[in-house]
Amino acid sequence: QALLVESGGGLVQAGGSLRLTCRAPRQIFSVFSPSDMAWYRQSPGKERELVARITSNRETYYADSVKGRFTISRDNSNKKVVLQMNSLKPEDTGVYYCHQVRPDVGATWGQGTQVTVSS
């Protein structure tokens, strides 16, 4: 079983919303809660870029391109992080990856989930 499992991607029209979830089913609370979590995306022909991050202290960071439209949150009890994406644009299209930085083992990536926004 994968360490990080993403879900919630799909096809949506511009202006619509999607909710991405990243779960860490194999991790216990004491492992998940101190980790920093983030969502990256890779759009066609572009490098992978940071979209949003939430630290273990729940400090958040957003790329300029998604500020005011995306919200990242975490639920340590259920070992998951959620990216709520509203007012989606065609340029938000790409593969979205969950990323975790744990104090004990370092960085881990999820397998990715496709988001496609049609105009």
Side-chain angles (χ1 to χ4, degrees), residues 66-113:
V66 307
K67 283 180 181 177
R69 300 188 297 121
F70 291 11
T71 302
I72 189 170
S73 60
R74 65 189 297 160
D75 178 352
N76 288 339
S77 296
N78 290 300
K79 299 165 290 176
K80 68 178 183 180
V81 62
V82 173
L83 185 68
Q84 179 66 43
M85 305 187 296
N86 299 326
S87 302
L88 283 161
K89 304 176 181 179
E91 51 263 43
D92 294 319
T93 294
V95 179
Y96 283 69
Y97 296 90
C98 183
H99 182 259
Q100 181 184 44
V101 179
R102 285 171 45 179
D104 55 342
V105 298
T108 303
W109 292 94
Q111 80 285 356
T113 185

